[in-house]
Amino acid sequence: MPWFLYLLECEDLSIYTGIALDVEKRLEQHRQGKGARYTRAHPPKRLLATVCYPNRSEASKAEYEMKKKTAAEKRAFCRKTARS
């Protein structure tokens, strides 16, 4: 079952990174304040990017690596992903 890495831009322009089976459902949870603690304090503004992975393990590894990046690097990744 595929898992997705997703990046959200929050209202304060910070970037939240997570993984989910159903990105739209998870985004709605974040918007309703039922998602991660971070997005309760920093409500999501828009979805920046999603990337599909074959399983949870691969998605988790990608999430871990993405969270090491700066906001500028994450935005560059999103721009590149949008063009792909």
Side-chain angles (χ1 to χ4, degrees):
M1 181 176 302
W3 277 74
F4 296 87
L5 169 74
Y6 64 93
L7 289 92
L8 303 175
E9 181 178 56
C10 299
E11 289 180 2
D12 64 357
L13 303 181
S14 62
I15 298 175
Y16 175 80
T17 304
I19 62 170
L21 285 168
D22 183 337
V23 175
E24 291 301 322
K25 182 178 176 181
R26 187 66 175 145
L27 178 56
E28 188 56 33
Q29 289 173 333
H30 287 302
R31 287 184 173 146
Q32 293 177 1
K34 298 177 183 175
R37 181 181 300 159
Y38 187 85
T39 57
R40 286 195 294 270
H42 308 266
K45 181 177 169 183
R46 65 185 176 126
L47 181 64
L48 294 175
T50 61
V51 181
C52 184
Y53 289 90
N55 54 54
R56 184 178 183 152
S57 176
E58 294 299 315
S60 292
K61 289 174 187 174
E63 178 187 28
Y64 177 77
E65 292 302 318
M66 186 62 65
K67 287 184 173 185
K68 292 180 186 179
K69 297 182 183 303
T70 65
E73 290 170 328
K74 291 176 186 178
R75 288 183 190 284
F77 172 83
C78 292
R79 285 190 298 275
K80 180 181 173 192
T81 301
R83 288 192 300 259
S84 299

